[in-house]
């Protein structure tokens, strides 16, 4: 099973884990196959935009 580490300060990780249940979430990024780095910015209209950067590790190293 694919191991994923989510690096996000203001995410509801419990909700993400419940809704996307076909991967294995790890708490140590060194154990993950994919490191997901999430950044957030406020928009001019009062909303938010999220950027997700997928960083491959182990056998996925170099695939971003």
């Amino acid at each position: 099973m694919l191991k994923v580490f989510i690096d996000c300060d203001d995410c509801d990780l419990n909700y993400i884990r419940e809704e996307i249940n076909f991967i294995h979430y790890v708490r140590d990024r060194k154990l993950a196959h994919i490191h997901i780095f999430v950044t957030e910015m406020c928009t001019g209209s009062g909303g938010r935009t999220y950027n997700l950067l997928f960083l491959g590790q182990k056998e996925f190293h170099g695939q971003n």
Side-chain angles (χ1 to χ4, degrees):
M1 190 178 288
L2 189 65
K3 295 179 182 176
V4 174
F5 175 78
I6 299 178
D7 191 355
C8 181
D9 290 333
D10 195 29
C11 295
D12 186 353
L13 294 178
N14 289 327
Y15 177 77
I16 293 171
R17 289 183 183 119
E18 289 175 8
E19 295 299 316
I20 305 173
N21 56 13
F22 53 87
I23 58 177
H24 180 70
Y25 297 93
V26 295
R27 296 181 188 266
D28 184 356
R29 69 175 177 83
K30 294 179 182 177
L31 299 175
H33 296 111
I34 307 293
H35 178 175
I36 302 175
F37 186 69
V38 182
T39 58
E40 172 189 357
M41 290 187 345
C42 294
T43 63
S45 63
R48 293 181 178 167
T49 59
Y50 294 90
N51 293 313
L52 284 77
L53 177 61
F54 293 78
L55 303 170
Q57 301 185 147
K58 298 187 180 192
E59 61 264 26
F60 299 106
H61 181 74
Q63 298 180 26
N64 299 333

